[in-house]
Amino acid sequence: MNDTPFLPFTRPSIDERTIAEVSEVLRSGWITTGPKCQALEAALSKRFSGRPVRLVNSGTASLELALRLCDIGPGDEVITTPLSWVATANVVLAVGATPVFVDADAATRNIDLDRIEAAITPRTRALLPVDLAGLPVDRDRLNRLAAAHGLRVVEDAAQSFGSQWGGRPIGSFGDLVSFSFHANKNMTFGEGGCLVMNDEAEARRFELLRLQGVQRLPGGGMEVEAWGAKANMTDIAAAIGLGQLRSIDDFNLRRRQLARRYFERWDRSLGFELPPEDTELHGNWHMFQPLLPRAFAAARPDFVAGMKALGFGVGVHYPAMHLFSMFRAMGHARGDFPVAEDIGERTVTLPLFPAMTDADVDRVCAAVTTVMADLQGVRP
């Protein structure tokens, strides 16, 4: 029997100081949006070169409200990737627009920038790229392409907090940049998100969009001129966020070290395709995702079960979303985006989080070798 504790594919790191600060918020009597949220927005803005930042209760909300900030709606098209969490396309549907998928690049697993231009039509209003596993899309090419066609860019940077492009932090430049602080992210508030914007005029409009469109007037009155969501963040979550922000650079440094360990200890003879190995370019290593050998793609459930039996959690991030029944009903079919389909069918997300030890990585690598030997019917 294995007495070693189960190792999940991710686990948040929340220190005692942060727990104490959350307790202070609970005792304060002000637990919804308040001074902690304001302090966190200011701290995030400082990190992003002074750009305005506004918090919301999820990364999904920040994406949807970013599209609304761009006045994208029925009749419009937004180009994105099918290789992401389904929220990336759901927010396009939520505003009444049409998601237009472009296949993934086999090397980076991000949207294939070479294929975007062919997907642009007179109805295209925005590009919605995703930094899969925290690896940034080429921002130089992306922004040149958008500028050439007069398109907005809404960056789904849900997984790339702490990553950089050209020596600049993701979020410190570009158009609209959305981050997620879900429980499995490098920096978590439990739930939460934020949008980085271009100027205070956008930020003021975003404030209306995130809370019922309400404008507070002098003397206690109010006005509502347009639709707004219920997407504000609480001070409870912001207190966690302020604690996480103190540690995020150390968290990401440890993730880079663990990723290097994976590359060093991995048995290359197993036939997996490893993610891009440049750990500095990758930045934050949100996930470590080898691809199963193609001959074993159909055996992925057995691989996941075998790893679990040995005490290791394995995720699947993500199946190609155009194969979900909702998108098939919209006319998509297998074969539409073959690179994304191939990656989506072979991806396995292995344990990677800051509290892991080097020995944990070694144990995961050994378990992968054992499970693959079992699948092949040969014990090493």
Side-chain angles (χ1 to χ4, degrees):
M1 184 174 177
N2 186 0
D3 295 327
T4 306
F6 185 81
L7 191 70
F9 81 85
T10 191
R11 179 189 294 139
S13 296
I14 300 176
D15 59 25
E16 291 300 321
R17 177 181 171 185
T18 301
I19 293 171
E21 289 167 346
V22 171
S23 297
E24 291 175 8
V25 171
L26 293 172
R27 293 189 184 99
S28 74
W30 193 304
I31 60 176
T32 188
T33 309
K36 292 292 185 183
C37 286
Q38 293 175 354
L40 182 53
E41 287 177 343
L44 289 169
S45 177
K46 183 177 180 180
R47 188 178 182 95
F48 297 133
S49 302
R51 301 183 72 192
V53 179
R54 294 296 183 269
L55 297 164
V56 284
N57 56 15
S58 72
T60 302
S62 67
L63 282 176
E64 178 183 338
L65 298 185
L67 294 176
R68 294 185 184 278
L69 198 62
C70 296
D71 295 317
I72 292 172
D76 296 331
E77 294 176 348
V78 176
I79 293 175
T80 190
T81 171
L83 201 60
S84 178
W85 177 234
V86 69
T88 303
N90 274 347
V91 297
V92 179
L93 297 172
V95 302
T98 300
V100 175
F101 295 125
V102 166
D103 208 353
D105 173 78
T108 65
R109 308 180 192 177
N110 288 327
I111 192 168
D112 188 339
L113 296 175
D114 290 335
R115 297 175 182 267
I116 286 180
E117 200 141 23
I120 295 173
T121 75
R123 297 171 58 189
T124 306
R125 295 287 308 283
L127 307 179
L128 205 172
V130 177
D131 298 327
L132 191 65
L135 179 65
V137 173
D138 184 331
R139 293 304 197 272
D140 297 329
R141 290 190 61 198
L142 174 74
N143 290 324
R144 284 197 301 268
L145 184 61
H149 293 274
L151 304 176
R152 298 298 301 263
V153 177
V154 178
E155 299 177 20
D156 185 343
Q159 300 175 11
S160 52
F161 195 99
S163 293
Q164 299 186 358
W165 184 262
R168 294 185 292 172
I170 297 299
S172 67
F173 64 99
D175 193 356
L176 300 174
V177 188
S178 169
F179 292 101
S180 169
F181 305 115
H182 178 263
N184 69 7
K185 298 301 188 290
N186 293 34
M187 187 168 85
T188 179
F189 307 171
E191 293 282 1
C194 76
L195 189 70
V196 187
M197 290 162 280
N198 295 287
D199 52 46
E200 289 300 326
E202 282 188 336
R204 285 192 295 272
R205 186 173 170 214
F206 188 83
E207 290 171 2
L208 299 178
L209 288 170
R210 75 176 172 182
L211 191 57
Q212 310 291 7
V214 171
Q215 302 176 58
R216 299 292 181 178
L217 304 176
M222 67 175 63
E223 179 60 277
V224 177
E225 295 181 354
W227 175 93
K230 177 66 172 72
N232 58 303
M233 183 183 282
T234 70
D235 264 21
I236 300 169
I240 300 172
L242 287 164
Q244 292 274 289
L245 193 57
R246 289 192 295 264
S247 301
I248 184 59
D249 293 329
D250 290 336
F251 289 165
N252 285 342
L253 173 60
R254 182 57 183 154
R255 285 175 176 273
R256 290 195 294 273
Q257 293 169 345
L258 292 167
R260 289 192 189 98
R261 185 80 174 188
Y262 267 120
F263 286 117
E264 291 167 2
R265 296 305 173 113
W266 195 266
D267 182 352
R268 307 291 176 121
S269 71
L270 295 174
F272 283 76
E273 291 179 42
L274 297 181
E277 197 162 343
D278 188 336
T279 55
E280 295 304 322
L281 173 62
H282 206 295
N284 75 352
W285 282 98
H286 173 58
M287 294 183 287
F288 189 82
Q289 299 176 296
L291 303 184
L292 285 165
R294 286 189 175 85
F296 291 91
R300 182 168 61 183
D302 298 318
F303 177 86
V304 172
M307 292 292 290
K308 183 177 181 181
L310 293 176
F312 302 97
V314 176
V316 174
H317 303 87
Y318 301 93
M321 73 175 81
H322 69 284
L323 299 180
F324 294 148
S325 59
M326 177 174 69
F327 295 104
R328 292 203 310 270
M330 297 176 188
H332 291 294
R334 181 171 294 279
D336 286 354
F337 309 106
V339 177
E341 291 167 20
D342 176 56
I343 294 169
E345 289 168 355
R346 296 193 290 134
T347 295
V348 288
T349 305
L350 299 182
L352 180 64
F353 54 91
M356 283 175 59
T357 66
D358 287 358
D360 287 330
V361 173
D362 297 349
R363 292 192 303 114
V364 173
C365 291
V368 169
T369 299
T370 297
V371 171
M372 290 303 294
D374 286 341
L375 294 181
Q376 293 167 348
V378 179
R379 298 291 292 181

